[in-house]
mmCIF file of all heavy atoms in Angstrom:
data_model
loop_
_atom_site.group_PDB
_atom_site.id
_atom_site.type_symbol
_atom_site.label_atom_id
_atom_site.label_comp_id
_atom_site.label_asym_id
_atom_site.label_seq_id
_atom_site.Cartn_x
_atom_site.Cartn_y
_atom_site.Cartn_z
ATOM 1 N N ILE R 1397 -20.689 -83.741 60.788
ATOM 2 C CA ILE R 1397 -20.332 -84.212 59.393
ATOM 3 C C ILE R 1397 -21.599 -84.796 58.765
ATOM 4 O O ILE R 1397 -21.955 -84.440 57.620
ATOM 5 C CB ILE R 1397 -19.146 -85.167 59.386
ATOM 6 C CG1 ILE R 1397 -17.892 -84.375 59.702
ATOM 7 C CG2 ILE R 1397 -19.045 -85.743 57.988
ATOM 8 C CD1 ILE R 1397 -16.676 -85.281 59.868
ATOM 9 N N VAL R 1398 -22.202 -85.783 59.359
ATOM 10 C CA VAL R 1398 -23.237 -86.533 58.777
ATOM 11 C C VAL R 1398 -24.591 -85.720 58.607
ATOM 12 O O VAL R 1398 -25.289 -85.832 57.620
ATOM 13 C CB VAL R 1398 -23.614 -87.865 59.509
ATOM 14 C CG1 VAL R 1398 -22.321 -88.721 59.531
ATOM 15 C CG2 VAL R 1398 -24.074 -87.628 60.854
ATOM 16 N N VAL R 1399 -24.877 -84.740 59.495
ATOM 17 C CA VAL R 1399 -25.907 -83.841 59.353
ATOM 18 C C VAL R 1399 -25.765 -82.945 58.199
ATOM 19 O O VAL R 1399 -26.629 -82.825 57.261
ATOM 20 C CB VAL R 1399 -26.200 -82.933 60.645
ATOM 21 C CG1 VAL R 1399 -27.193 -81.915 60.339
ATOM 22 C CG2 VAL R 1399 -26.592 -83.873 61.778
ATOM 23 N N LEU R 1400 -24.584 -82.308 58.014
ATOM 24 C CA LEU R 1400 -24.269 -81.523 56.880
ATOM 25 C C LEU R 1400 -24.325 -82.272 55.540
ATOM 26 O O LEU R 1400 -24.877 -81.749 54.552
ATOM 27 C CB LEU R 1400 -22.887 -80.819 57.074
ATOM 28 C CG LEU R 1400 -22.767 -79.830 58.185
ATOM 29 C CD1 LEU R 1400 -21.349 -79.368 58.274
ATOM 30 C CD2 LEU R 1400 -23.792 -78.693 57.980
ATOM 31 N N ALA R 1401 -23.727 -83.514 55.593
ATOM 32 C CA ALA R 1401 -23.789 -84.336 54.450
ATOM 33 C C ALA R 1401 -25.174 -84.736 54.076
ATOM 34 O O ALA R 1401 -25.538 -84.879 52.860
ATOM 35 C CB ALA R 1401 -22.872 -85.575 54.647
ATOM 36 N N GLY R 1402 -25.959 -85.005 54.995
ATOM 37 C CA GLY R 1402 -27.349 -85.328 54.813
ATOM 38 C C GLY R 1402 -28.119 -84.108 54.205
ATOM 39 O O GLY R 1402 -28.923 -84.373 53.301
ATOM 40 N N ILE R 1403 -27.793 -82.987 54.528
ATOM 41 C CA ILE R 1403 -28.462 -81.760 53.971
ATOM 42 C C ILE R 1403 -28.074 -81.719 52.419
ATOM 43 O O ILE R 1403 -28.979 -81.435 51.584
ATOM 44 C CB ILE R 1403 -27.966 -80.491 54.638
ATOM 45 C CG1 ILE R 1403 -28.503 -80.397 56.039
ATOM 46 C CG2 ILE R 1403 -28.453 -79.189 53.845
ATOM 47 C CD1 ILE R 1403 -28.026 -79.149 56.895
ATOM 48 N N VAL R 1404 -26.831 -81.915 52.121
ATOM 49 C CA VAL R 1404 -26.346 -81.819 50.772
ATOM 50 C C VAL R 1404 -27.051 -83.022 49.925
ATOM 51 O O VAL R 1404 -27.481 -82.822 48.813
ATOM 52 C CB VAL R 1404 -24.888 -82.007 50.678
ATOM 53 C CG1 VAL R 1404 -24.385 -82.170 49.210
ATOM 54 C CG2 VAL R 1404 -24.200 -80.822 51.288
ATOM 55 N N ARG R 1405 -27.191 -84.176 50.567
ATOM 56 C CA ARG R 1405 -27.828 -85.397 49.881
ATOM 57 C C ARG R 1405 -29.328 -85.010 49.583
ATOM 58 O O ARG R 1405 -29.787 -85.287 48.475
ATOM 59 C CB ARG R 1405 -27.713 -86.572 50.769
ATOM 60 C CG ARG R 1405 -28.555 -87.836 50.274
ATOM 61 C CD ARG R 1405 -27.873 -88.450 49.105
ATOM 62 N NE ARG R 1405 -28.065 -89.930 49.116
ATOM 63 C CZ ARG R 1405 -29.150 -90.533 48.589
ATOM 64 N NH1 ARG R 1405 -30.125 -89.873 48.104
ATOM 65 N NH2 ARG R 1405 -29.134 -91.824 48.702
ATOM 66 N N GLY R 1406 -29.912 -84.455 50.533
ATOM 67 C CA GLY R 1406 -31.339 -84.127 50.444
ATOM 68 C C GLY R 1406 -31.613 -83.050 49.248
ATOM 69 O O GLY R 1406 -32.632 -83.112 48.588
ATOM 70 N N PHE R 1407 -30.681 -82.115 49.254
ATOM 71 C CA PHE R 1407 -30.745 -81.085 48.301
ATOM 72 C C PHE R 1407 -30.418 -81.518 46.829
ATOM 73 O O PHE R 1407 -31.043 -81.315 45.859
ATOM 74 C CB PHE R 1407 -29.852 -79.932 48.694
ATOM 75 C CG PHE R 1407 -29.784 -78.725 47.768
ATOM 76 C CD1 PHE R 1407 -30.946 -78.061 47.461
ATOM 77 C CD2 PHE R 1407 -28.697 -78.414 47.028
ATOM 78 C CE1 PHE R 1407 -30.992 -76.933 46.618
ATOM 79 C CE2 PHE R 1407 -28.772 -77.313 46.191
ATOM 80 C CZ PHE R 1407 -29.854 -76.611 45.904
ATOM 81 N N SER R 1408 -29.195 -82.288 46.736
ATOM 82 C CA SER R 1408 -28.601 -82.580 45.444
ATOM 83 C C SER R 1408 -28.954 -83.969 44.977
ATOM 84 O O SER R 1408 -28.956 -84.245 43.825
ATOM 85 C CB SER R 1408 -27.068 -82.436 45.475
ATOM 86 O OG SER R 1408 -26.557 -83.484 46.338
ATOM 87 N N GLY R 1409 -29.317 -84.871 45.864
ATOM 88 C CA GLY R 1409 -29.524 -86.308 45.551
ATOM 89 C C GLY R 1409 -28.425 -87.228 45.681
ATOM 90 O O GLY R 1409 -28.434 -88.378 45.459
ATOM 91 N N PHE R 1410 -27.165 -86.696 45.747
ATOM 92 C CA PHE R 1410 -25.983 -87.430 45.940
ATOM 93 C C PHE R 1410 -24.941 -86.701 46.803
ATOM 94 O O PHE R 1410 -25.351 -85.720 47.475
ATOM 95 C CB PHE R 1410 -25.269 -87.674 44.551
ATOM 96 C CG PHE R 1410 -24.694 -86.505 43.914
ATOM 97 C CD1 PHE R 1410 -23.378 -86.291 43.848
ATOM 98 C CD2 PHE R 1410 -25.526 -85.490 43.209
ATOM 99 C CE1 PHE R 1410 -22.719 -85.221 43.240
ATOM 100 C CE2 PHE R 1410 -25.017 -84.438 42.618
ATOM 101 C CZ PHE R 1410 -23.599 -84.196 42.609
ATOM 102 N N ALA R 1411 -23.707 -87.180 46.980
ATOM 103 C CA ALA R 1411 -22.644 -86.620 47.668
ATOM 104 C C ALA R 1411 -22.615 -86.878 49.087
ATOM 105 O O ALA R 1411 -21.731 -86.502 49.901
ATOM 106 C CB ALA R 1411 -22.477 -85.139 47.428
ATOM 107 N N LEU R 1412 -23.614 -87.667 49.754
ATOM 108 C CA LEU R 1412 -23.542 -87.946 51.110
ATOM 109 C C LEU R 1412 -22.199 -88.778 51.473
ATOM 110 O O LEU R 1412 -21.475 -88.437 52.280
ATOM 111 C CB LEU R 1412 -24.758 -88.823 51.496
ATOM 112 C CG LEU R 1412 -24.763 -89.445 52.851
ATOM 113 C CD1 LEU R 1412 -24.650 -88.531 53.902
ATOM 114 C CD2 LEU R 1412 -25.975 -90.287 53.045
ATOM 115 N N SER R 1413 -22.103 -89.841 50.818
ATOM 116 C CA SER R 1413 -20.948 -90.737 51.003
ATOM 117 C C SER R 1413 -19.641 -89.998 50.749
ATOM 118 O O SER R 1413 -18.648 -90.161 51.370
ATOM 119 C CB SER R 1413 -21.030 -92.054 50.152
ATOM 120 O OG SER R 1413 -22.111 -92.844 50.614
ATOM 121 N N ALA R 1414 -19.633 -89.331 49.573
ATOM 122 C CA ALA R 1414 -18.392 -88.642 49.108
ATOM 123 C C ALA R 1414 -18.044 -87.541 50.253
ATOM 124 O O ALA R 1414 -16.774 -87.465 50.518
ATOM 125 C CB ALA R 1414 -18.636 -87.948 47.834
ATOM 126 N N LEU R 1415 -18.962 -86.807 50.779
ATOM 127 C CA LEU R 1415 -18.678 -85.836 51.699
ATOM 128 C C LEU R 1415 -18.134 -86.475 53.061
ATOM 129 O O LEU R 1415 -17.168 -86.012 53.638
ATOM 130 C CB LEU R 1415 -19.883 -84.951 51.995
ATOM 131 C CG LEU R 1415 -20.169 -83.828 50.975
ATOM 132 C CD1 LEU R 1415 -21.578 -83.251 51.248
ATOM 133 C CD2 LEU R 1415 -19.041 -82.773 51.166
ATOM 134 N N VAL R 1416 -18.792 -87.554 53.417
ATOM 135 C CA VAL R 1416 -18.399 -88.152 54.655
ATOM 136 C C VAL R 1416 -17.074 -88.806 54.509
ATOM 137 O O VAL R 1416 -16.184 -88.654 55.364
ATOM 138 C CB VAL R 1416 -19.513 -89.262 55.129
ATOM 139 C CG1 VAL R 1416 -18.937 -89.982 56.275
ATOM 140 C CG2 VAL R 1416 -20.782 -88.546 55.461
ATOM 141 N N MET R 1417 -16.847 -89.441 53.345
ATOM 142 C CA MET R 1417 -15.588 -90.076 53.107
ATOM 143 C C MET R 1417 -14.384 -89.022 53.033
ATOM 144 O O MET R 1417 -13.335 -89.288 53.404
ATOM 145 C CB MET R 1417 -15.613 -90.827 51.720
ATOM 146 C CG MET R 1417 -14.400 -91.683 51.566
ATOM 147 S SD MET R 1417 -14.188 -93.078 52.683
ATOM 148 C CE MET R 1417 -15.384 -94.288 52.031
ATOM 149 N N ALA R 1418 -14.736 -87.935 52.540
ATOM 150 C CA ALA R 1418 -13.717 -86.809 52.348
ATOM 151 C C ALA R 1418 -13.325 -86.248 53.690
ATOM 152 O O ALA R 1418 -12.194 -85.797 53.901
ATOM 153 C CB ALA R 1418 -14.207 -85.762 51.467
ATOM 154 N N THR R 1419 -14.177 -86.266 54.695
ATOM 155 C CA THR R 1419 -13.968 -85.640 55.969
ATOM 156 C C THR R 1419 -13.706 -86.643 57.114
ATOM 157 O O THR R 1419 -12.716 -86.458 57.872
ATOM 158 C CB THR R 1419 -15.031 -84.651 56.283
ATOM 159 O OG1 THR R 1419 -16.271 -85.319 56.248
ATOM 160 C CG2 THR R 1419 -15.117 -83.505 55.475
ATOM 161 N N ALA R 1420 -14.555 -87.592 57.224
ATOM 162 C CA ALA R 1420 -14.498 -88.551 58.317
ATOM 163 C C ALA R 1420 -13.333 -89.568 58.223
ATOM 164 O O ALA R 1420 -12.996 -90.249 59.084
ATOM 165 C CB ALA R 1420 -15.787 -89.338 58.388
ATOM 166 N N VAL R 1421 -12.700 -89.504 57.073
ATOM 167 C CA VAL R 1421 -11.583 -90.481 56.821
ATOM 168 C C VAL R 1421 -10.397 -90.125 57.674
ATOM 169 O O VAL R 1421 -9.512 -90.966 57.884
ATOM 170 C CB VAL R 1421 -11.099 -90.358 55.297
ATOM 171 C CG1 VAL R 1421 -10.318 -89.176 54.988
ATOM 172 C CG2 VAL R 1421 -10.230 -91.609 54.925
ATOM 173 N N ILE R 1422 -10.339 -88.905 58.367
ATOM 174 C CA ILE R 1422 -9.395 -88.596 59.292
ATOM 175 C C ILE R 1422 -9.577 -89.262 60.735
ATOM 176 O O ILE R 1422 -8.840 -89.255 61.551
ATOM 177 C CB ILE R 1422 -9.177 -87.095 59.405
ATOM 178 C CG1 ILE R 1422 -10.498 -86.381 59.940
ATOM 179 C CG2 ILE R 1422 -8.814 -86.390 58.084
ATOM 180 C CD1 ILE R 1422 -10.460 -84.962 60.290
ATOM 181 N N ILE R 1423 -10.858 -89.745 60.806
ATOM 182 C CA ILE R 1423 -11.196 -90.446 62.067
ATOM 183 C C ILE R 1423 -11.250 -91.942 61.865
ATOM 184 O O ILE R 1423 -10.738 -92.658 62.758
ATOM 185 C CB ILE R 1423 -12.616 -89.972 62.619
ATOM 186 C CG1 ILE R 1423 -12.557 -88.410 62.918
ATOM 187 C CG2 ILE R 1423 -12.984 -90.755 63.787
ATOM 188 C CD1 ILE R 1423 -13.826 -87.829 63.243
ATOM 189 N N LEU R 1424 -11.909 -92.390 60.784
ATOM 190 C CA LEU R 1424 -11.941 -93.818 60.479
ATOM 191 C C LEU R 1424 -11.452 -94.121 59.170
ATOM 192 O O LEU R 1424 -11.605 -93.303 58.193
ATOM 193 C CB LEU R 1424 -13.448 -94.231 60.605
ATOM 194 C CG LEU R 1424 -14.111 -94.128 61.909
ATOM 195 C CD1 LEU R 1424 -15.628 -94.343 61.828
ATOM 196 C CD2 LEU R 1424 -13.567 -95.207 62.877
ATOM 197 N N PRO R 1425 -10.793 -95.296 59.000
ATOM 198 C CA PRO R 1425 -10.316 -95.622 57.565
ATOM 199 C C PRO R 1425 -11.491 -95.911 56.605
ATOM 200 O O PRO R 1425 -12.677 -96.297 57.135
ATOM 201 C CB PRO R 1425 -9.535 -96.889 57.872
ATOM 202 C CG PRO R 1425 -10.082 -97.530 59.058
ATOM 203 C CD PRO R 1425 -10.564 -96.296 59.876
#
């Protein structure tokens, strides 16, 4: 998840936290 989110962050400049929060929330609150 974090590698893919990092790719999006590097490309777009944002969305790292949003992507991780949208997916990793099923593992951690």
Side-chain angles (χ1 to χ4, degrees):
I1397 288 173
V1398 302
V1399 170
L1400 293 176
I1403 293 173
V1404 174
R1405 172 72 147 86
F1407 179 66
S1408 70
F1410 70 104
L1412 168 62
S1413 292
L1415 279 169
V1416 174
M1417 188 67 77
T1419 50
V1421 75
I1422 62 176
I1423 297 174
L1424 295 169

